[in-house]
Structure formats: C-alpha cells, structure tokens
Amino acid sequence: LCSFSFSLCKGYNLQSIRIQPIRQTYTMKSVHVCPLFLTLVPTLVAASYISPCKLSRTCYKHAPSLLLLHAKNNDDEKDSGGLTYSSPVTSFLGRFLPSKEEAGAISLDEATFSGRKKLSIDDMISALDQGLREREWFVTGDVIPDLFAEDYTFKDPDVELQGIEAYANGVKRLFDQETSRAEVIECSLNQDATRDANDERDINDTVQVIRVEWRLSGNVNIGPLQGLRIKPYICISDMHVREADGLIIYQEDTFDIPGYDILLSAFFPWLPFLAPEAPPVSEILKSR
C-alpha cells in the first residue's frame, strides 16, 4: 500500500514517517510524497492496528471498526455507557454523526426487562437467529432487551461500552436506517470459542459462545444526504451467554477484511488492490 502511494507522488519531501502497530515500528526516511499520500496517512495509521486472528476464516480482530464509530458528543457525556476508544481515528470520525436525539433515542427502562428469564442455549440460539433476521438490530438498534444481562459489554477493536441501551443507540446513530442491512448467514454454538473464553474465566462464571456470522451493507451517517456508503463485508459477532442466568453478558465483533480496506473502499473504491464486495447471502449459502 505504501509503495503504491509513493509511486503516485512527487514534489513533497517528508523526512520521516513513523507508523507504529501493536508490536512493531517501521520507519521510512527521505520519502517523496504528494497530497494524495497525505490524505491516506490517517488511513495508514488506522491500518497499523491490524493483526489477523483465526476464526472460521481470516478475520481481522484489530482492524479499525465501522460498526461503532459513534462518539460521545460534548453534550452526551452522561449517556455514553462508559464508552472508551482505542483509536483516535474512530473518536474523530464519530463526532460527525448525528446526536442520539437526532437519530431518535432508544430508551430501555426497567419495565422493558420484565420478561428476563433463563433460556437454554438452544433456545437462546433460536431467539438470536429469529430476532436478528426480523429486527436486524446490529444496524437498527431494535434489540430484544430480555436476552441481555444488566452488565452487558460490547467490544470491537476501536470501541468498548457498557449496557445494551448504549449499544442500541450507538448503532442507530451510526447506520442510515433506509439503506443499511445486517443479514444473518449463520447462528450457532461455537465450541472452540467457548473453550477459549472459559480458559480466562472463573470455574463458577462460565459462558457459552454463540457465533453469529452476518453480512453488513449500506451507508453510515457521515456526510450529506444518506451518508457514506460502505462496501458489503462479513462480520463475526461472538455472543457470550452466561451459564448461571442464560443471558448475554459480552459481545465481541470482528471482520473478514482488514480495516484499511473498509476505509479505503469508502473513499477510494476504484483502487485495484481492494477486496471485492461480499456476495449476497444467498450466494454465500449456495457455495457451502
């Protein structure tokens, strides 16, 4: 990517560019760059967080997220749900999103959770599969509150927050509600992820992990009209269900393409080295 950018550029001298990923630092000296490269620098910095993890396919656990770019606006401190960022790029972009009120705030009071009860893991899988197909709450925020614990936490490579209400409002603010889709491909118990999760937990606080594979498409609410289009890609949501009460306590999202690809595809979709769009769900299912 860097070599491609440099080949397009001349006329500006940048003595040193330092890109610092999680474990290693690369220094490039006396490089000639142009305004196009300077435009790509924030993307390259964001991409420095990439590190692949092995799921059912190559999945980028440390790629910059497009799922929850929502920022706590200055007037939204009290309702941020303990929102924290690991990426300055995410924090910056989130400030261009509509406020919670402009997006139509979702309020979940105590009465909303009156139907909470312990479900078997099979019943939880069925509830998630049916609910997500009907409500697509990964982009709409129209969650089923009874499935989630009070101490629910969401995490992706850039964002961590507490509370299902904070999550619901975050995705509703981020995604354009007319164009965005979250189409379920598969929802099932994942034994490998369950074993890995319990290796780090107390024996009296075990979980079972339901893995939801889904296709994300549509626009995010950054920019005029219907916002910025994102290339369709595959997301993996690991839902940790606490065995003690049968409720979802933790969700972690990862993606099947690196973060630089997601970001560059939104701004420069014509670049030849980018991955193709994820095919429609019907084609994915036929190929399996």
Side-chain angles (χ1 to χ4, degrees), residues 110 113 116 145 148-153 162-164 242 245 247-249:
E110 288 299 322
F113 298 95
R116 274 182 177 153
F148 296 87
E150 291 184 13
D151 53 345
Y152 164 84
T153 298
Q162 287 77 46
I164 189 59
R242 185 163 50 203
D245 57 12
L247 298 174
I248 300 168
I249 60 167

Side-chain angles (χ1 to χ4, degrees), residues 122-269:
D122 289 336
D123 288 342
M124 176 60 82
I125 292 171
S126 297
L128 279 173
D129 188 65
Q130 181 179 349
L132 284 166
R133 291 179 190 277
E134 293 176 351
R135 299 176 178 228
E136 300 188 25
W137 70 68
F138 288 152
V139 295
T140 65
D142 186 19
V143 299
I144 301 176
D146 292 343
L147 303 182
F148 296 87
E150 291 184 13
D151 53 345
Y152 164 84
T153 298
F154 171 86
K155 186 176 187 299
D156 72 10
D158 289 324
V159 174
E160 182 171 354
L161 58 79
Q162 287 77 46
I164 189 59
E165 181 177 314
Y167 173 83
N169 279 296
V171 295
K172 188 174 183 182
R173 287 175 60 196
L174 174 60
F175 292 105
D176 173 63
Q177 296 301 298
E178 293 185 11
T179 60
S180 298
R181 297 292 313 277
E183 300 171 274
V184 173
I185 300 169
E186 184 177 3
C187 180
S188 60
L189 181 66
N190 190 286
Q191 298 290 357
D192 291 338
T194 295
R195 182 177 58 254
D196 293 343
N198 287 324
D199 284 345
E200 303 174 359
R201 303 184 71 87
D202 186 88
I203 193 171
N204 296 316
D205 189 31
T206 56
V207 298
Q208 292 182 286
V209 179
I210 299 172
R211 178 160 291 174
V212 184
E213 183 183 8
W214 52 286
R215 180 182 186 267
L216 172 63
S217 62
N219 296 2
V220 292
N221 289 319
I222 297 175
L225 301 177
Q226 289 184 317
L228 188 67
R229 181 184 182 272
I230 53 174
K231 175 175 64 181
Y233 60 96
I234 305 301
C235 302
I236 301 291
S237 294
D238 279 347
M239 319 291 280
H240 293 226
V241 181
R242 185 163 50 203
E243 292 193 82
D245 57 12
L247 298 174
I248 300 168
I249 60 167
Y250 181 68
Q251 174 181 339
E252 183 170 11
D253 283 8
T254 48
F255 320 105
D256 77 332
I257 59 175
Y260 72 81
D261 194 308
I262 298 172
L263 292 171
L264 287 177
S265 295
F267 293 99
F268 309 104

Side-chain angles (χ1 to χ4, degrees), residues 15-45:
Q15 293 299 321
S16 178
I17 303 169
R18 184 172 293 271
I19 299 177
Q20 187 168 1
I22 294 175
R23 297 186 182 87
Q24 193 172 10
T25 299
Y26 303 87
T27 302
M28 296 164 284
K29 295 183 178 180
S30 300
V31 176
H32 288 278
V33 299
C34 73
L36 175 59
F37 178 71
L38 295 178
T39 302
L40 294 177
V41 166
T43 302
L44 294 172
V45 172

Side-chain angles (χ1 to χ4, degrees), residues 62-83:
H62 297 282
S65 167
L66 278 178
L67 178 59
L68 278 179
L69 289 177
H70 60 285
K72 53 182 180 182
N73 293 339
N74 293 333
D75 60 349
D76 204 23
E77 295 282 342
K78 294 182 180 179
D79 299 313
S80 63
L83 177 61

